[in-house]
Amino acid sequence: MKLVIGNQKAYLGYGAASSFVEGLSTVDSSNAIICPSNIYLELYKDLKIPVGGQDVCADNEGKRTGEITAVQLKELGINYCIVGHSERREYQNETSVTIGKKINQLLGQDIVPILCIGESFEDKEAGKGADVVINQLKEALENVEKDQIGKIIVAYEPVWAISNGIRPNVIPSNTEIKDIVCSIKNFLLDSYGTTVKVIYGGSVNLNNLDELNKIDENDGYLIGGASLKAEEFKKIIEICA
Ligand code: PGA
């Protein structure tokens, strides 16, 4: 069984989001989470699978126009939230310090942070993929209590493999994914004495899922484009169950 987390980014309008909810309404699965645009959290709450946020405020309340706090997510019954996605690092200039604060906000409300890390194509070409990823992990977790780290899900998402990246639909080999997933797990075990779920993200779809499912060390997927259509996402959940 693999964990399947959908990240719908800022893609669906209200009509499409409503149709998605209708299409997924019969799916009752313990191995799937869907993260819609924050404005649709309430709409998705009727689903039988858990709903997660895509981002959270780094502070707990107050003068933060446009932000959504961990307390507000929790009040809505949200138990998962993506943090540190490469698109936020790139377009919102999100730093490891901010990401660390967000993780603490989420943990403070008993919300599971889904921490995204991943190297650029240049890093990969320079043979620095694993180092970059471990460094991102180290920095993001620097101010997180050691005994809380086991609650986090880590999503390994090579930036170059995410849809619309520089080489669309080109993803790492199974060996490459396995090596980095194991490096992440070993690092967390050695540094904090804990094991966490590590999932892969980047152009996962029905065409490459069977091959990816052969990586025993990988615990699941963070899925963008292929989570936008209920039928496709449903099939992925079924295959991974
Ligand atoms: P993708 O997105 O599946 O469309 O590549 C994954 C992600 O960015 O989380």
Side-chain angles (χ1 to χ4, degrees), residues 23-41:
L24 215 71
S25 59
T26 54
V27 177
D28 189 355
S29 169
S30 58
N31 73 312
I33 299 163
I34 184 75
C35 304
S37 244
N38 280 340
I39 52 164
Y40 301 136
L41 288 171

Side-chain angles (χ1 to χ4, degrees), residues 40-224:
Y40 301 136
L41 288 171
E42 184 86 40
L43 179 70
Y44 278 51
K45 262 184 58 196
D46 291 337
L47 288 172
K48 296 187 188 80
I49 65 171
V51 176
Q54 292 183 6
D55 185 41
V56 69
C57 182
D59 301 293
N60 64 352
E61 63 169 356
K63 293 189 282 185
R64 298 292 184 274
T65 303
E67 296 274 16
I68 294 170
T69 65
V71 175
Q72 291 172 321
L73 288 175
K74 194 65 189 188
E75 274 187 11
L76 219 55
I78 303 299
N79 291 317
Y80 298 89
C81 187
I82 297 170
V83 64
H85 192 282
S86 59
E87 287 155 11
R88 295 204 61 84
R89 293 178 194 253
E90 181 176 353
Y91 303 119
Q92 263 68 38
N93 298 323
E94 214 165 86
T95 64
S96 294
V97 173
T98 309
I99 294 164
K101 281 184 173 183
K102 291 182 175 193
I103 292 172
N104 279 333
Q105 286 296 326
L106 293 170
L107 289 170
Q109 296 303 315
D110 248 331
I111 298 172
V112 175
I114 303 159
L115 168 62
C116 301
I117 50 176
E119 82 282 8
S120 67
F121 190 63
E122 294 74 35
D123 293 331
K124 172 192 157 55
E125 287 296 275
K128 293 192 292 193
D131 289 349
V132 167
V133 163
I134 298 300
N135 212 36
Q136 287 174 348
L137 200 53
K138 245 189 232 167
E139 286 181 3
L141 299 180
E142 201 176 325
N143 295 313
V144 177
E145 294 290 337
K146 251 186 167 188
D147 64 354
Q148 296 290 298
I149 287 171
K151 297 179 180 168
I152 294 170
I153 295 171
V154 176
Y156 166 53
E157 295 207 303
V159 180
W160 54 273
I162 292 176
S163 309
N164 304 320
I166 54 168
R167 304 190 318 162
N169 291 320
V170 177
I171 66 168
S173 67
N174 280 8
T175 310
E176 286 172 323
I177 295 174
K178 181 184 140 188
D179 285 351
I180 299 228
V181 164
C182 290
S183 301
I184 294 168
K185 289 188 174 184
N186 291 338
F187 167 76
L188 292 173
L189 195 59
D190 293 347
S191 310
Y192 308 105
T194 190
T195 50
V196 303
K197 277 201 166 70
V198 180
I199 62 176
Y200 167 78
S203 300
V204 178
N205 57 47
L206 283 169
N207 296 327
N208 53 28
L209 190 61
D210 287 340
E211 186 59 25
L212 287 167
N213 270 340
K214 294 178 187 163
I215 313 170
D216 291 336
E217 294 79 359
N218 178 44
D219 298 311
Y221 307 101
L222 183 55
I223 301 179

